[in-house]
């Protein structure tokens, strides 16, 4: 006998990674240049020079110290550097004592949810959202409540206010958004924070805002992402260096608690307790030292901006309806038929690998990851043209 939920999660698998695995197999069959794989958000831009330079420099230091254990919460010098970096972006001073260095934003979300959720409490997420939010929440004993977006794929705040109940313990926001590329405005964040503050007063307990921010630096046209700490007191920021420094396989990031949080000490202690129980969340020693030397740097984000224009304009010219993304590296394309899964399956005939939106909490779209080479985008256009013609676009 095994737990039914974990069996179900393991057997259902991630729709994104399943499609990526199909793409790998298909490339082996017919050749990599004949498959147009837009499935997975794997950065295609090299890490900035400081990453390799730091690694080379560190490898010439004391090996035992370099690869030795670090404090569970992360190197004090790195936590201090993270807090200083956040304090440049926020009007709320963040203390390094409430920064936890962990294996990416995902592990930050997981241990935060497990630290705060009591059985059957609810977590609200705004569709479209990263599918693993459901697994993370249910794995922590909670229930995920999906709030559908408005027509522009922005959060429907009236629906959000109706969705909050006495059981609501946390709300997850993801800006820039995976899969739509939408960036939440300061006005939206302020209204969202006001709604949550009223709900806290109404129900008499803390409601936490979890901000999932792996794409924070991936914004274009001179935009910046408003800092969530400035708009709500009970905020936990979960960040990953996977996208900004092109280091997804290194699994390193952090979580940070707002200095205005009413139960900051208790929540951080609970997070440390969960991390201890899990046993896997401590970030690798080498990469902690690399990150400390590279904070404030990013990969060449302009490459993604160029890809956005190439893909968006190309598909619009072919008759597809697309959501113009302000950030991240995904294009959300409206399916020409109601069933996005059927559309994605039909796209496979032309070796186009597109992720249907159903698991993201909305129907009728596909996600197209443009963190690929510009050459592949150009070469894919005849395939997209054939697919458009099949639908009479």
């Amino acid at each position: 006998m095994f737990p039914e939920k974990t069996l179900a999660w393991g057997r259902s698998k991630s729709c994104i990674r399943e499609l990526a695995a199909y793409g790998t197999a298909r490339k082996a069959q017919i050749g990599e240049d004949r498959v147009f794989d837009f499935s997975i958000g794997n950065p295609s831009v090299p890490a900035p020079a400081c990453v390799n330079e730091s690694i080379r420099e560190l490898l010439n230091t004391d090996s035992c110290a370099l690869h030795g254990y670090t404090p569970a919460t992360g190197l004090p010098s790195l936590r201090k550097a993270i807090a200083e970096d956040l304090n440049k972006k926020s009007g709320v001073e963040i203390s390094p004592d409430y920064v936890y260095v962990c294996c990416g934003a995902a592990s930050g979300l997981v241990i935060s949810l497990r630290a705060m959720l009591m059985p059957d409490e609810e977590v609200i997420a705004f569709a479209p959202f990263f599918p693993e939010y459901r697994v993370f929440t249910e794995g922590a004993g909670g229930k995920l409540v999906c709030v559908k977006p408005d027509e522009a794929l922005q959060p429907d705040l009236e629906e959000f206010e109706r969705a909050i109940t006495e059981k609501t313990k946390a709300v997850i926001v993801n800006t820039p958004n995976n899969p739509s590329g939408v960036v939440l405005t300061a006005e939206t964040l302020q209204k969202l924070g006001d709604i949550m503050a009223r709900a806290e007063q109404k129900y008499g307990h803390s409601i936490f805002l979890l901000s999932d921010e792996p794409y924070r630096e991936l914004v274009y046209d001179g935009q910046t992402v408003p800092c969530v700490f400035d708009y709500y007191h009970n905020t936990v920021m979960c960040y990953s260096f996977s996208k900004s420094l092109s280091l997804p396989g290194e699994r390193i990031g952090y979580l940070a608690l707002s200095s205005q949080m009413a139960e900051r000490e208790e929540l951080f202690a609970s997070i440390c307790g969960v991390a201890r129980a899990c046993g896997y969340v401590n970030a690798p020693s080498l990469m902690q030292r690399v990150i400390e030397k590279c904070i404030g740097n990013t990969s060449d984000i302009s490459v993604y901006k160029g890809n956005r224009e190439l893909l968006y304009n190309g598909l619009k010219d072919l008759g597809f309806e697309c959501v113009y993304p302000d950030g991240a590296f995904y294009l959300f394309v409206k399916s020409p038929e109601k069933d996005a899964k059927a559309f994605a399956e039909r796209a496979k005939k032309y070796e186009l690998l597109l992720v249907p939106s159903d698991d993201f909490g909305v129907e009728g779209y596909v996600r197209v990851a443009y963190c690929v080479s510009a050459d592949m985008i150009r070469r894919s256009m005849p395939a997209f043209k054939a697919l458009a013609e099949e639908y009479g676009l």
Side-chain angles (χ1 to χ4, degrees):
M1 296 288 290
F2 299 97
E4 290 183 10
K5 279 190 175 181
T6 53
L7 280 173
W9 296 330
R11 285 172 174 163
S12 64
K13 299 181 181 178
S14 160
C15 62
I16 301 166
R17 293 190 179 274
E18 200 165 21
L19 188 60
Y22 169 86
T24 299
R26 193 70 180 136
K27 290 169 192 174
Q29 291 171 346
I30 66 172
E32 188 164 344
D33 62 333
R34 296 178 62 189
V35 178
F36 308 113
D37 188 352
F38 295 98
S39 64
I40 197 164
N42 201 33
S44 56
V45 178
C50 69
V51 170
N52 286 341
E53 290 169 3
S54 299
I55 291 172
R56 281 192 289 267
E57 179 185 332
L58 288 164
L59 289 176
N60 289 321
T61 62
D62 179 7
S63 179
C64 290
L66 177 63
H67 301 298
Y69 288 123
T70 68
T73 51
L75 290 166
S77 55
L78 174 56
R79 296 168 72 197
K80 182 174 183 289
I82 290 169
E84 288 174 351
D85 184 62
L86 288 174
N87 289 334
K88 295 174 185 176
K89 301 176 173 70
S90 169
V92 176
E93 188 170 347
I94 304 304
S95 167
D97 294 336
Y98 296 93
V99 172
Y100 197 112
V101 184
C102 51
C103 296
S107 71
L109 285 167
V110 167
I111 60 176
S112 296
L113 288 167
R114 293 190 179 188
M116 63 180 59
L117 287 179
M118 300 293 284
D120 299 321
E121 288 187 323
E122 296 174 350
V123 176
I124 294 175
F126 297 99
F129 55 78
F130 183 51
E132 299 307 281
Y133 290 168
R134 189 176 302 281
V135 179
F136 297 165
T137 299
E138 292 177 358
K143 175 186 175 183
L144 190 74
V145 176
C146 173
V147 171
K148 298 291 185 181
D150 63 19
E151 291 184 0
L153 293 181
Q154 293 281 344
D156 186 330
L157 295 179
E158 291 183 2
E159 181 64 28
F160 168 57
E161 191 158 15
R162 288 191 291 269
I164 299 178
T165 71
E166 189 174 6
K167 289 187 175 182
T168 303
K169 190 62 165 289
V171 176
I172 301 176
V173 293
N174 172 221
T175 177
N177 178 262
N178 173 13
S180 70
V182 166
V183 175
L184 298 185
T185 65
E187 181 183 9
T188 295
L189 287 171
Q190 186 63 69
K191 289 179 179 178
L192 187 146
D194 291 344
I195 291 169
M196 293 179 66
R198 290 197 298 270
E200 282 192 326
Q201 289 186 333
K202 179 178 179 179
Y203 296 116
H205 65 77
S206 295
I207 301 175
F208 298 97
L209 180 64
L210 288 170
S211 184
D212 181 25
E213 302 194 7
Y215 302 94
R216 184 172 66 210
E217 280 75 27
L218 274 68
V219 287
Y220 315 108
D221 307 319
Q223 292 190 75
T224 56
V225 177
C227 185
V228 289
F229 288 133
D230 294 337
Y231 300 96
Y232 186 65
H233 60 289
N234 277 335
T235 294
V236 181
M237 179 186 289
C238 298
Y239 183 78
S240 169
F241 294 95
S242 294
K243 290 13 183 207
S244 61
L245 290 176
S246 295
L247 298 173
E250 304 303 339
R251 312 306 299 175
I252 185 161
Y254 63 82
L255 64 84
L257 274 57
S258 171
S259 58
Q260 298 181 335
M261 183 178 290
E263 300 173 280
R264 182 174 62 163
E265 185 176 342
E266 292 85 351
L267 178 58
F268 195 76
S270 187
I271 285 169
C272 292
V274 170
R276 181 182 176 190
C278 290
Y280 73 93
V281 300
N282 307 115
S285 171
L286 172 61
M287 291 313 300
Q288 288 192 52
R289 290 171 166 85
V290 171
I291 294 301
E292 185 178 344
K293 292 176 177 291
C294 294
I295 279 188
N297 289 275
T298 67
S299 300
D300 185 1
I301 306 305
S302 67
V303 174
Y304 299 133
K305 179 182 178 181
N307 285 357
R308 176 189 66 169
E309 300 307 309
L310 195 60
L311 184 65
Y312 177 82
N313 291 330
L315 294 190
K316 287 287 286 184
D317 288 345
L318 292 174
F320 289 102
E321 292 183 47
C322 312
V323 178
Y324 189 67
D326 297 310
F329 42 46
Y330 305 109
L331 187 65
F332 219 36
V333 181
K334 194 168 183 59
S335 169
E337 61 178 295
K338 186 176 181 180
D339 187 345
K341 288 184 178 180
F343 173 57
E345 279 299 312
R346 187 171 295 194
K348 284 182 180 179
K349 289 197 311 181
Y350 305 99
E351 307 300 342
L352 291 165
L353 305 188
L354 318 174
V355 182
S357 64
D358 302 64
D359 286 357
F360 293 102
V362 295
E363 297 176 345
Y365 289 85
V366 292
R367 189 191 79 171
V368 187
Y370 54 84
C371 49
V372 296
S373 71
D375 176 66
M376 193 190 91
I377 295 175
R378 293 188 188 97
R379 288 188 293 103
S380 72
M381 284 300 141
F384 276 114
K385 184 174 187 292
L387 181 61
E389 288 172 349
E390 191 167 337
Y391 284 96
L393 299 181

